[in-house]
Amino acid sequence: AGALVGQTVDSERRQYEHGTDPQGAQMPSDEKKTAIEKESQVLREMVLTKAQKSGKFTIVEQTRKDEIKEQMNNEADGDYSTNNLIPRGQMLSAKYSAFGTITRFETDRKQKGFSIVGGNESLTMKITLDLRLVDNESGTVVSSDQVTGSINSDSSQVGLLGFGTASENQGAIGALLDDLSKNVVAKIVSTLWPIKIISVNADEKVVMVNAGESVVPVGSRLAVYAQGEQVTDPETGEVLGSQETTVGEIEVFETTPRFSKCKIIKPLQRVQVIQVGQICRALETAGSGKPAGAPESNPKFIF
């Protein structure tokens, strides 16, 4: 994706500067496939790193399993001390798997300045991934949703008409994938563990939530909900959720890997309505989530 975007920009510049057909600048199909696979691997590694740092998961390495087994086989050739051999049959299984497909990639380029020798442009990039969370024991889909990542950047170019180069957009692609991976981990964590208030300091108007930097970065705003009576399906007896009432709004100002501190934005006069145990959701998704069941404390996960 990074190489493809850069190639597209270069082809645009070639068309405007030299009047050639931009189709002539396209990458061969095998090179496109290689570029997409490379960026997909980058995205996977970013998600793995952020998931591990969240402290919520035990990550089961799948793509390097053959290399791990090869190391075990090497240790069994008689050259290693028997006191240090890795015991067989100890590898862990995973409770959940996450599957994702990038379904949309959008760019919006706007020229901000113009001159014969160069110019400025603003570039907005957005990427959308369809994410499925699967319970490996039952094979059922726990949740399915679209997750997006986006960045806005300004760049300066030196060129006849001020169009950016491929190298300038490589950094933007990296930042875009980083934002997407952060949102993927946040979506998975909040699905299995709803964000909750874990302490309240009414005097300082500060609360703490059970979500760290991988889920709620500094500056995030969360709506706070008080849960009321449970709603039950009369036919099946299944608990569908609880009635919820919006009681306030908080903003994250300090994070750690496991929890975050937030200042109370609303209400300022009756902060006592915000209490320990209340659920929080990001404002852009507030009202769209549903209470999740209580998972085991540290489920093993495949990416």
Side-chain angles (χ1 to χ4, degrees), residues 55-59 95-96 193 258 295-301:
K56 296 289 189 179
F57 306 108
T58 297
I59 305 298
K95 180 172 178 57
Y96 296 103
W193 295 275
R258 305 295 296 272
E296 58 183 86
S297 60
N298 198 26
K300 301 163 189 65
F301 220 87

Side-chain angles (χ1 to χ4, degrees), residues 54-70:
S54 74
K56 296 289 189 179
F57 306 108
T58 297
I59 305 298
V60 179
E61 178 60 71
Q62 290 285 56
T63 59
R64 301 296 180 89
K65 185 179 290 185
D66 290 341
E67 296 175 29
I68 296 171
K69 288 184 176 181
E70 183 179 354

Side-chain angles (χ1 to χ4, degrees), residues 11-216:
S11 70
E12 290 176 347
R13 185 176 59 176
R14 185 175 292 107
Q15 178 189 27
Y16 281 93
E17 290 183 1
H18 305 293
T20 57
D21 184 353
Q23 297 297 321
Q26 290 187 349
M27 301 173 69
S29 59
D30 56 342
E31 293 182 24
K32 289 181 181 180
K33 182 178 180 181
T34 301
I36 292 172
E37 290 175 348
K38 178 181 178 181
E39 299 300 342
S40 298
Q41 180 65 21
V42 169
L43 176 61
R44 177 185 179 276
E45 294 300 325
M46 287 179 171
V47 171
L48 278 172
T49 299
K50 289 177 172 58
Q52 186 70 43
K53 289 179 66 177
S54 74
K56 296 289 189 179
F57 306 108
T58 297
I59 305 298
V60 179
E61 178 60 71
Q62 290 285 56
T63 59
R64 301 296 180 89
K65 185 179 290 185
D66 290 341
E67 296 175 29
I68 296 171
K69 288 184 176 181
E70 183 179 354
Q71 177 59 30
M72 289 182 177
N73 293 332
N74 289 339
E75 294 181 2
D77 63 6
D79 292 334
Y80 292 83
S81 169
T82 56
N83 295 328
N84 298 322
L85 294 181
I86 299 175
R88 296 278 184 157
Q90 302 296 313
M91 297 185 74
L92 299 178
S93 59
K95 180 172 178 57
Y96 296 103
S97 293
F99 302 97
T101 302
I102 294 175
T103 55
R104 183 176 301 173
F105 178 72
E106 304 166 81
T107 61
D108 182 18
R109 184 180 291 104
K110 296 180 180 178
Q111 194 74 21
K112 298 175 65 177
F114 175 80
S115 69
I116 296 299
V117 296
N120 273 329
E121 69 174 7
S122 65
L123 179 65
T124 300
M125 304 173 71
K126 181 178 179 180
I127 189 169
T128 302
L129 179 139
D130 277 39
L131 176 69
R132 292 199 314 278
L133 183 61
V134 177
D135 185 316
N136 290 334
E137 182 178 357
S138 63
T140 57
V141 176
V142 177
S143 70
S144 181
D145 208 342
Q146 287 189 326
V147 185
T148 62
S150 62
I151 60 167
N152 298 292
S153 64
D154 294 330
S155 60
S156 299
Q157 306 85 24
V158 176
L160 182 61
L161 291 179
F163 285 93
T165 64
S167 60
E168 288 173 334
N169 281 282
Q170 291 295 334
I173 286 291
L176 182 65
L177 293 178
D178 186 71
D179 188 66
L180 177 60
S181 64
K182 175 193 68 179
N183 294 337
V184 166
V185 173
K187 174 63 70 175
I188 294 171
V189 171
S190 60
T191 297
L192 297 176
W193 295 275
I195 303 171
K196 291 186 177 181
I197 303 288
I198 56 176
S199 74
V200 178
N201 186 328
D203 294 332
E204 296 184 7
K205 296 181 174 59
V206 171
V207 303
M208 295 175 62
V209 297
N210 64 340
E213 57 193 14
S214 297
V215 181
V216 285

Side-chain angles (χ1 to χ4, degrees), residues 220-235:
S220 301
R221 285 206 172 191
L222 308 173
V224 183
Y225 298 87
Q227 288 188 301
E229 183 180 355
Q230 286 187 335
V231 179
T232 304
D233 189 319
E235 296 292 335

